[in-house]
Amino acid sequence: MTNAIVPPYRVEGSGPLFVYIAGLDGTGDLFFKQRPMLAESYRVVTFRSREGGAFSYDDLTDDVAAIIEDNQESRATILGESFGGTVALSFALRYPAMVERMVVVNSFSRFRRQLLIRLGGRLASVLPFSTTWLARSGASFLGLLADGVRAEDRRRFFAAIRTVKQESYARRLKLIAEFNVEDRLHEIQAPTVFIAGEKDLLIQSVREARAMARRMPRAVVRVIEGAGHACLMGNKVNVAQILKET
């Protein structure tokens, strides 16, 4: 872990270690709906992902490993949401012995709409922040409504993503465009739960989850009817309950 850092993180609850890896926002603040329920059984860690510079998936996975070691543990349950799911898959490949269990929410082993993601990364790199903010916030608002996220929680969402640096956002889009572990999924031996929103408008989460699970020896899929991409902030998903049932 030559480039590892221990990012600032918060811990809630007690029990086995549980690490949440955020999506494109990278803030770690948008797990607030799930955290209290999980904290009844786990020591839940949330953290802000790297910002600035040409960070790589190796850097991001090294940071997760550093958090686990900083908590004096050798392994943890890892949950990655959307972009965080790609980090979780990378972590399971890079540090297999450190994964007790993995949960992947609305994610993919490669992003199939390459033209769209490369265009998005390009625009995020060259357009003024105010312009990209309008586009991002508009799309996010529609997604939050589709998931039934309450007004107060929507305000909390926008307060969090306003803190995201444009440079970091563009870098994550570039990493997504380059990401492809499809042919390595069979190497992941950790028990894995794929959670997929049936009405995810951003990616075809159900199709992606089932395709990934078929390549992994110990994976199951939970399809959440009526849920979209922001399902962890809505009222249709209870991660703690899903973990008890699977």
Side-chain angles (χ1 to χ4, degrees), residues 38-237:
L38 284 163
E40 295 176 6
S41 303
Y42 295 93
R43 195 170 4 135
V44 181
V45 172
T46 55
F47 67 99
R48 193 175 186 100
S49 297
R50 283 198 189 208
E51 296 183 291
F55 54 82
S56 66
Y57 274 110
D58 284 355
D59 295 327
L60 298 174
T61 55
D62 285 352
D63 294 348
V64 175
I67 288 173
I68 294 172
E69 291 186 347
D70 197 57
N71 279 270
Q72 300 182 346
E73 297 287 355
S74 60
R75 54 204 289 123
T77 295
I78 306 295
L79 185 148
E81 180 183 11
S82 190
F83 170 76
T86 68
V87 179
L89 291 169
S90 300
F91 183 81
L93 290 166
R94 187 170 168 83
Y95 293 103
M98 299 187 82
V99 183
E100 179 73 34
R101 195 176 187 188
M102 184 164 62
V103 184
V104 177
V105 182
N106 289 340
S107 194
F108 43 86
S109 57
R110 67 181 178 94
F111 197 85
R112 301 178 192 283
R113 301 165 69 184
Q114 280 291 303
L115 181 61
L116 178 64
I117 196 68
R118 292 183 185 279
L119 177 61
R122 175 68 176 165
L123 293 177
S125 299
V126 300
L127 290 178
F129 181 78
S130 58
T131 303
T132 58
W133 167 255
L134 288 173
R136 288 164 52 201
S137 60
S140 297
F141 182 75
L142 293 175
L144 294 171
L145 284 180
D147 268 306
V149 178
R150 300 178 304 174
E152 62 186 88
D153 291 340
R154 294 198 300 269
R155 288 192 289 271
R156 188 166 180 174
F157 170 86
F158 286 112
I161 67 171
R162 283 191 187 95
T163 69
V164 179
K165 296 178 180 178
Q166 184 169 0
E167 178 187 1
S168 303
Y169 183 78
R171 179 61 184 167
R172 291 180 191 120
L173 291 177
K174 187 175 188 299
L175 289 179
I176 289 174
E178 298 169 351
F179 183 73
N180 186 351
V181 297
E182 196 168 47
D183 292 336
R184 296 192 62 195
L185 291 174
H186 66 278
E187 299 176 30
I188 299 176
Q189 300 294 316
T192 300
V193 181
F194 289 102
I195 297 176
E198 177 203 17
K199 293 187 176 180
D200 189 341
L201 300 177
L202 185 60
I203 62 174
Q204 292 184 300
S205 292
V206 175
R207 187 187 75 172
E208 295 293 343
R210 287 172 173 163
M212 288 188 284
R214 283 195 295 268
R215 292 172 176 258
M216 294 169 59
R218 304 176 69 188
V220 297
V221 176
R222 288 292 300 267
V223 176
I224 311 300
E225 294 184 4
H229 199 70
C231 64
L232 295 187
M233 293 180 60
N235 57 12
K236 296 181 176 67
V237 176

